[in-house]
Amino acid sequence: MSWDWNVVDDFMPRFWDGVLVTLQALAIGTLIAFALGLVWALAQRSAQVWVRWPVVAVTEFIRNTPLLVQLFFLFYVVPNFGPSMSPLTTGIVGLGLHYSTYTAEVYRAGIDGVPAGQWEAATALSLSKGRTWRAVILPQAIRRVVPPLGNYVVAMLKDSPMIATIGAFDMLGEAQAFSNETFTTEALTVVGVAFIVIAYPASLLIRALERRLVR
Amino acid sequence: MMSSEFFTTWFLPGIWVTVQVTVYAAALGAAISFGIGIARSSRYWIVRFLAGVYFEVFRGMSALVLMFWMFFALPLFGWQLVPMWAGVSALGLTYGAYGSEIVRGSLAAVTPAQKEAGIALNFTRLQRLRLIELPQAWPEMVPPFNNLLIELLKGTALVSVITVADMTFAGNLLRLGTNETTPIYTLLLVLYFVLAFLITRGMRLLERRAKAGIGQRPEKTGSITRKLGARGESLQAGSQSAGGMG
């Protein structure tokens, strides 16, 4: 039982590599989750049953199965039928796809939260469908969705180490490789602390945002 | 294809292990949720502070990293855990933090008048919790706890990474042996979905019973406290805890 700061020093360059990969996965994953989630949410409101029903079924299925198994599925099964992707790309797609089903719920709740009178007012003013969405509904919905969306970004950060299990070298992947090579455990502790150090200020920020936007 | 022998030696026990891990971690998580949740509404600042530190640390932590740390780094400090218990404790500690926010939020949603009534009746703090606050907070807690349980079930897949032979582990083992990836992982996803579905169904019963409990109290006070509670802090508490789940 001993803590060796030299080991930590040795790990640091690879730690920063890992941080970059984690942040990259988080950034692109977030973009996918935000964009795709809006697509799901709008499709779920579609008047056509054949659009609405499959989207509800698929998103429910993704939401209720583990991200880890989905990553294995994307990494080992999808290449049998389609493109084979690098571990990092697979991880980003997996994170984005999984979280898009959560953000879809957020958008849905945000849109449903706009009072019915606003829709009626738009109809009374005979605004077009596109104009109703752009000028009336979405601006009001956005205030409600920003804080929960932010929460999911933090949640995604905490789930991002799962991409290490399919061989992507994020923070955890680097720590794992380093630990195996040197038979030490300091690297894992450093990464554990790093997650708290990143996640805590982020959650404070979101709470402040929530206080400002949701009134 | 999957041989029947493999199925009985690995997959069926794997399903059982997944169920076990879920149950143990849920029990540990629930105990922590109530302990930390109640401590966070304590009137002593030091208790509130320490419980708050627990909440921030374990909510900010990634469950997988925590699991790795407990399995590989904890032995360094002279504490070797069996893989199963390393997994269960990592999951329990994480989900206990999320759950404590549910407990704290729904306790805060109990109207002040109810607490004051308890004081007026000269109830001790413990009596007030047991007889007034928890029974009223309970129906508010059940639905978010159900969501948390589904998140926990999905989280159990992580234990496969530290060599606990759950169903994901069995699936990975089979992939290494046969390379028949498509049926293996499709079956796994379906199994998790079915388990999640069963939990949702079972919990809906509990939800209905928790709501029915409200009706047993005098009609008017019951509905008024619910309305006040729902309008008060429970909305905020709900939106906060919802996002905390990973």
Side-chain angles (χ1 to χ4, degrees):
Chain A
M1 148 160 190
S2 60
W3 178 267
D4 191 348
W5 283 108
N6 291 324
V7 176
V8 177
D9 271 355
D10 289 345
F11 175 57
M12 270 310 157
R14 291 177 62 173
F15 171 73
W16 292 117
D17 290 347
V19 170
L20 275 184
V21 172
T22 295
L23 291 180
Q24 193 186 336
L26 188 64
I28 307 174
T30 304
L31 283 181
I32 296 176
F34 283 8
L36 205 56
L38 189 57
V39 174
W40 297 141
L42 293 178
Q44 281 170 4
R45 300 180 67 89
S46 163
Q48 258 78 31
V49 182
W50 53 267
V51 174
R52 198 172 56 217
W53 196 85
V55 168
V56 170
V58 167
T59 51
E60 276 298 307
F61 189 78
I62 295 177
R63 207 206 322 268
N64 283 303
T65 49
L67 173 59
L68 186 68
V69 182
Q70 286 164 10
L71 289 176
F72 290 144
F73 188 92
L74 287 173
F75 195 61
Y76 295 112
V77 176
V78 170
N80 295 346
F81 304 99
S84 118
M85 298 177 286
S86 76
L88 182 58
T89 314
T90 310
I92 292 172
V93 170
L95 277 171
L97 190 65
H98 188 78
Y99 274 91
S100 72
T101 62
Y102 293 114
T103 57
E105 267 313 281
V106 173
Y107 288 123
R108 191 191 58 74
I111 294 169
D112 286 350
V114 176
Q118 298 288 319
W119 289 97
E120 288 156 12
T123 313
L125 292 169
S126 45
L127 296 183
S128 70
K129 207 172 174 197
R131 195 118 184 257
T132 308
W133 277 103
R134 265 180 291 115
V136 182
I137 305 301
L138 285 179
Q140 295 184 72
I142 280 172
R143 293 164 61 87
R144 296 160 200 271
V145 300
V146 168
L149 283 185
N151 273 328
Y152 280 123
V153 177
V154 179
M156 205 190 299
L157 167 72
K158 288 182 298 171
D159 274 354
S160 67
M162 284 190 212
I163 66 176
T165 59
I166 50 170
F169 283 96
D170 72 324
M171 281 200 266
L172 180 64
E174 292 284 0
Q176 224 182 324
F178 184 84
S179 302
N180 289 341
E181 289 157 22
T182 59
F183 300 104
T184 56
T185 54
E186 279 85 349
L188 279 175
T189 312
V190 169
V191 169
V193 173
F195 269 97
I196 300 170
V197 170
I198 302 175
Y200 182 55
S203 71
L204 285 186
L205 191 77
I206 290 156
R207 235 175 282 172
L209 209 64
E210 191 157 348
R211 236 168 287 147
R212 277 198 55 175
L213 287 177
V214 181
R215 278 286 107 181
Chain B
M1 264 318 287
M2 269 176 264
S3 71
S4 62
E5 197 187 331
F6 182 92
F7 205 84
T8 47
T9 44
W10 286 104
F11 235 111
L12 286 180
I15 297 174
W16 177 231
V17 170
T18 293
V19 171
Q20 272 178 301
V21 172
T22 310
V23 170
Y24 294 149
L28 177 62
I32 294 175
S33 300
F34 279 94
I36 298 292
I38 292 171
R40 286 179 67 204
S41 37
S42 164
R43 62 195 154 121
Y44 302 108
W45 71 267
I46 183 75
V47 177
R48 278 203 310 272
F49 175 77
L50 290 177
V53 169
Y54 177 92
F55 172 67
E56 294 297 350
V57 166
F58 286 99
R59 203 190 51 151
M61 180 66 114
S62 155
L64 183 60
V65 174
L66 182 64
M67 211 175 279
F68 262 104
W69 188 84
M70 295 193 96
F71 189 59
F72 292 111
L74 211 53
L76 184 79
F77 302 99
W79 206 14
Q80 183 92 49
L81 286 173
V82 188
M84 169 89 139
W85 293 116
V88 166
S89 23
L91 289 172
L93 289 168
T94 308
Y95 286 89
Y98 300 148
S100 78
E101 180 69 1
I102 297 174
V103 174
R104 188 201 62 76
S106 38
L107 280 180
V110 175
T111 47
Q114 292 284 328
K115 297 172 194 171
E116 285 156 17
I119 298 171
L121 288 170
N122 222 3
F123 280 179
T124 63
R125 177 80 188 95
L126 216 64
Q127 277 177 316
R128 265 183 285 146
L129 258 179
R130 193 164 55 86
L131 297 170
I132 300 177
E133 292 170 37
L134 283 175
Q136 289 195 55
W138 177 243
E140 306 276 339
M141 282 183 218
V142 175
F145 261 119
N146 294 346
N147 288 337
L148 201 56
L149 194 56
I150 302 292
E151 294 296 323
L152 177 61
L153 167 71
K154 293 190 289 168
T156 61
L158 297 179
V159 298
S160 66
V161 181
I162 56 167
T163 69
V164 180
D166 74 331
M167 42 195 220
T168 306
F169 189 83
N172 283 334
L173 212 59
L174 189 56
R175 185 239 314 157
L176 291 172
T178 63
N179 250 337
E180 285 283 351
T181 52
T182 312
I184 298 168
Y185 288 113
T186 310
L187 175 66
L188 260 186
L189 286 173
V190 170
L191 277 174
Y192 276 104
F193 185 76
V194 169
L195 281 180
F197 181 77
L198 290 177
I199 291 180
T200 319
R201 278 296 137 123
M203 287 300 140
R204 209 164 284 169
L205 283 176
L206 191 67
E207 226 166 285
R208 218 171 295 152
R209 281 185 48 183
K211 284 214 181 93
I214 286 272
Q216 284 165 9
R217 274 188 271 119
E219 193 84 61
K220 255 184 185 160
T221 39
S223 58
I224 286 172
T225 43
R226 255 188 85 71
K227 266 180 209 154
L228 287 175
R231 204 194 307 147
E233 269 184 89
S234 71
L235 287 175
Q236 280 176 3
S239 72
Q240 266 175 21
S241 60
M245 295 180 234

